[in-house]
Amino acid sequence: MLKAEILAAAKEYVASGEIPYLPLAGYQEYLTSGNRLHFEERYFARRRQLAVLALAYELQPTQETKELLEQVIWEVCNEYTWLCRLICPL
């Protein structure tokens, strides 16, 4: 059952082809207002997508999953910080 859920979620990610965007404005919003929900929602959505695609590729490797997984890894590597620690100033 879990395998089917992972593969179904990965299929949806591949179909959309979108990767959650982490804009600087979301980080700045937290710094000015203290509201970190907008930034964290996208941050954790990206991490969820990374985990699902990696597991799906291990379970049932496809070229489409691999390509999106590589792009998500690229985006994570390009993040300002890999910590969900919004107390770090820019």
Side-chain angles (χ1 to χ4, degrees), residues 16-77:
S16 79
E18 295 181 16
I19 299 171
Y21 178 60
L22 296 176
L24 175 62
Y27 194 85
Q28 290 173 325
E29 177 186 358
Y30 165 69
L31 294 176
T32 57
S33 72
N35 181 359
R36 58 194 209 185
L37 291 178
H38 294 116
F39 185 83
E40 282 185 344
E41 285 173 2
R42 293 175 181 200
Y43 178 91
F44 288 119
R46 184 181 281 183
R47 294 306 186 275
R48 191 169 34 257
Q49 184 180 38
L50 176 65
V52 166
L53 291 170
L55 289 169
Y57 189 73
E58 178 64 26
L59 293 169
Q60 190 176 73
T62 66
Q63 186 63 30
E64 296 82 12
T65 301
K66 179 183 176 189
E67 289 173 4
L68 185 57
L69 175 59
E70 289 171 337
Q71 190 60 46
V72 173
I73 291 169
W74 180 263
E75 294 298 329
V76 168
C77 288

